């Protein structure tokens, strides 16, 4: 059974940094990609950053140059380094893993971790 567990969220002042971690219960190279999403109150969940099995990376325009996604395949971890945080980054951040690109391919979500950026 696949489990994803996020950690590292918290309260930080604007301009500060946080590093989120996503621990997978299986070999993360099983997944075609892993990603971080976020959902702010009253808003839809949105993609923040994604990292493919082959190492390609994609970022939302709103976080480019401030956030960095990375992984450690030895311990099945994916990270999101968040620098120069802004109040608008406040949201619950979720880790997602997909086993394939087809719509019917299994995918998994973590439980989320709250990030709050104060002005």
């Amino acid at each position: 059974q696949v489990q994803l567990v996020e950690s590292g969220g918290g309260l930080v002042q604007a301009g500060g940094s946080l590093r989120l971690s996503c621990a997978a219960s299986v070999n993360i190279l099983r997944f075609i990609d892993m990603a971080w999403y976020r959902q702010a109150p009253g808003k839809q969940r949105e993609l923040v950053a994604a990292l493919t099995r082959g190492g390609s990376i994609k970022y939302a325009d709103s976080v480019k140059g401030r956030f960095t996604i990375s992984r450690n395949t030895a311990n099945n971890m994916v990270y999101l380094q968040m620098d120069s945080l802004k109040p608008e980054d406040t949201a619950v951040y979720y880790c997602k893993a997909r086993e394939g690109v087809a719509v019917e391919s299994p995918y998994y979500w973590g439980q989320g971790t709250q990030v709050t950026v104060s002005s």
Side-chain angles (χ1 to χ4, degrees), residues 56-113:
S56 297
I57 292 175
K58 177 171 63 177
Y59 294 103
D61 288 343
S62 58
V63 307
K64 281 180 182 175
R66 300 189 299 121
F67 290 11
T68 303
I69 188 170
S70 64
R71 68 187 176 195
N72 184 324
T73 56
N75 59 15
N76 298 315
M77 298 286 291
V78 175
Y79 304 100
L80 185 68
Q81 177 66 41
M82 306 187 295
D83 299 318
S84 302
L85 283 160
K86 304 175 181 180
E88 51 264 43
D89 295 318
T90 295
V92 178
Y93 283 71
Y94 298 91
C95 179
K96 180 183 180 183
R98 295 195 301 169
E99 296 207 24
V101 296
V103 173
E104 63 272 20
S105 296
Y107 60 91
Y108 312 93
W109 290 98
Q111 83 289 349
T113 185

Side-chain angles (χ1 to χ4, degrees), residues 107-119:
Y107 60 91
Y108 312 93
W109 290 98
Q111 83 289 349
T113 185
Q114 176 71 46
V115 171
T116 303
V117 185
S118 62
S119 57

Side-chain angles (χ1 to χ4, degrees), residues 31-73:
F31 305 119
I32 194 165
D33 60 29
M34 295 188 71
W36 287 96
Y37 284 72
R38 66 186 180 187
Q39 187 167 20
K43 294 188 176 180
Q44 288 190 331
R45 194 171 295 190
E46 63 175 357
L47 176 68
V48 175
L51 173 59
T52 71
R53 181 189 296 146
S56 297
I57 292 175
K58 177 171 63 177
Y59 294 103
D61 288 343
S62 58
V63 307
K64 281 180 182 175
R66 300 189 299 121
F67 290 11
T68 303
I69 188 170
S70 64
R71 68 187 176 195
N72 184 324
T73 56

